[in-house]
Amino acid sequence: MDNFELICPAGTPAALRAAVDAGADAVYLGFRDETNARNFPGLNFTRQDVADAVDYAHARKVEVYVAINTYPQAGNLGPWQKAVDDAARLKVDAVILADPGLLAYAAKRHPDLRLHLSVQASAANVEAIRLYRDAFGVRRVVLPRVLTVPEIAKLNAEIDVETEVFVFGGLCPMAEGRCSLSSYATGLSPNKQGVCSPASHVRYEQRGGALASTLGGFTINVFGEGEQAGYPTLCKGRFVAGGAPAYLFEEPTSLNAMDLLPELKAAGVHALKIEGRQRGKAYIGAVVRAYREALDSFAAGRPVPHIDLQAMVEGGTQTTGAYTRAWR
C-alpha cells in the first residue's frame, strides 16, 4: 500500500530539524514577514535559514514547502512577489499560495515551481479546485477543515489534483480565509498580516477570585479558581448568550484524526498535515514521531496503534472535527 505523505510544521530551524529527524516526508515553513499566516515574533525563517533548511532536509530526502499564504495588500505586491521569487531561487520543492493574483504571478514567472493551494483559499468544491488547476497549474489543494470524510471522497472521485488534509493540531472553526474576528478585535488580520489573536493584544487580569483573558480590550474568557486558563483565541472564547456562558463558536480542542487513517486513505487523500508552526521542537518531535509510527504501521497492513498524544492537545480535549460530524 502506498503510504500517505506526512507534512509537518516548522516555525524555527530547530523545529525543522526535529520534524525531519522524527520522520517527516515534507516540512512547511514561512519567511519572517507578513507573507505567511503565522507571522509571530520569534518565529519563521530568514532567507539564509531557508537555504540551510533546504540543504538539511534534502540531504535526508525530505522536501521543503514555503507557505506564502496571506493575501497581498492593495498597492503593495512587492513583498509577496519577492517571497515567491526567493522561494524559487532557494530551490524549495513547492510554494503554498492562496491569492489568485499571486498564483498567476508564480505560474508565469516560475513555470517549473510546484504550486500548492493553501487552506486559506478555502477551495472546497470540484469547480473551484478545477479552476485553480486549469488557470494556474495547481498540483495539490489543502482542503479546509469543514469537510466530512464522505465529502472528501466525493471530491477526490471527480478531480485529478492531489488533496492534503489536516490531521492534528489547532482546529479553526471557520472556513479558512473567511475569518475576520481577529481583525475586528485587534486591527490585525490573519489573512493580510498573518496573525490571529496576536500576543501583542493579549492581557490577563484578576477579577475578584477569577482570571479574565482579553484580546484587544474584549473579554474572551473568565476562568474560575482552579480552572486552567487558556490562550484567548477569539473564536474559542466563552461568551454569555441566553443568560449562560458557553463556547459559541468552538470549544478549545485539538484535532487528532489518527484513528481515521483507513477512512482517509479510502477517500483518496494523498497527504496528511500536522498544524503547529508556533509550537516548539519538543512538541513537533513528539507528534511527528507518533504519526510516523502510525503511518508506517498502517502502510504495512498492521492496525493503527493507539498512541497517547493527550499531553499535546489544546484544552486537554481531542476531536475528529468535521470529519465525523456535521459542522456547527
Side-chain angles (χ1 to χ4, degrees):
M1 179 191 301
D2 291 337
N3 210 348
F4 292 102
E5 185 177 337
L6 183 59
I7 316 300
C8 304
T12 65
L16 178 135
R17 291 190 293 271
V20 171
D21 296 345
D25 293 309
V27 179
Y28 66 102
L29 52 84
F31 290 126
R32 194 174 291 171
D33 55 34
E34 70 272 31
T35 63
N36 89 91
R38 287 293 184 272
N39 181 29
F40 294 108
L43 288 185
N44 298 312
F45 289 68
T46 66
R47 268 53 174 182
Q48 184 58 52
D49 288 338
V50 174
D52 294 341
V54 170
D55 288 343
Y56 187 87
H58 284 181
R60 292 156 180 82
K61 296 182 171 53
V62 176
E63 295 189 336
V64 176
Y65 305 156
V66 172
I68 310 171
N69 57 343
T70 53
Y71 290 83
Q73 299 168 15
N76 185 31
L77 297 176
W80 282 264
Q81 292 179 345
K82 186 176 188 305
V84 171
D85 294 340
D86 287 346
R89 174 179 58 82
L90 293 164
K91 301 188 185 308
V92 304
D93 299 283
V95 290
I96 307 169
L97 309 178
D99 179 70
L102 198 60
L103 282 159
Y105 175 85
K108 181 177 180 180
R109 191 71 174 266
H110 304 285
D112 295 328
L113 181 61
R114 183 180 173 97
L115 304 183
H116 292 185
L117 187 66
S118 170
V119 69
Q120 291 294 107
S122 199
N125 59 69
V126 171
E127 289 76 14
I129 293 170
R130 285 177 178 166
L131 173 64
Y132 284 107
R133 178 203 63 190
D134 295 345
F136 312 118
V138 163
R139 305 273 294 279
R140 181 184 299 177
V141 56
V142 185
L143 296 176
R145 286 162 281 193
V146 296
L147 298 173
T148 64
V149 173
E151 288 170 338
I152 293 170
K154 188 174 181 180
L155 268 180
N156 279 325
E158 299 184 52
I159 61 175
D160 58 0
V161 177
E162 294 174 357
T163 53
E164 178 177 314
V165 302
F166 284 91
V167 289
F168 192 89
L171 186 62
C172 179
M174 305 301 172
E176 281 91 350
R178 303 293 184 267
C179 179
S180 298
L181 287 175
S182 178
S183 179
Y184 175 81
T186 69
L188 297 175
S189 166
N191 301 321
K192 288 187 176 181
Q193 287 83 27
V195 290
C196 173
S197 302
S200 56
H201 290 65
V202 169
R203 300 289 184 272
Y204 293 91
E205 58 188 51
Q206 289 294 143
R207 295 182 184 173
L211 178 66
S213 63
T214 68
L215 179 73
F218 294 92
T219 299
I220 306 302
N221 214 330
V222 178
F223 302 95
E225 186 174 352
E227 190 177 8
Q228 183 178 354
Y231 188 86
T233 304
L234 203 157
C235 63
K236 297 178 183 180
R238 186 163 46 181
F239 306 103
V240 176
Y247 292 102
L248 299 184
F249 297 105
E250 181 66 12
E251 295 180 3
T253 61
S254 285
L255 177 67
N256 187 0
M258 187 177 289
D259 291 341
L260 297 179
L261 296 185
E263 289 86 350
L264 292 172
K265 174 57 74 173
V269 171
H270 179 85
L272 305 181
K273 190 167 199 167
I274 296 170
E275 187 273 343
R277 281 194 283 148
Q278 72 278 27
R279 302 286 190 166
K281 63 180 183 180
Y283 172 99
I284 299 298
V287 175
V288 175
R289 276 192 298 273
Y291 265 86
R292 180 78 275 153
E293 179 183 346
L295 292 185
D296 289 349
S297 293
F298 177 67
R302 299 190 299 270
V304 176
H306 176 74
I307 302 175
D308 185 8
L309 289 171
Q310 188 67 19
M312 302 296 167
V313 302
E314 181 181 4
T317 305
Q318 303 179 51
T319 178
T320 53
Y323 296 139
T324 55
R325 64 178 172 85
W327 202 242
R328 64 179 174 85

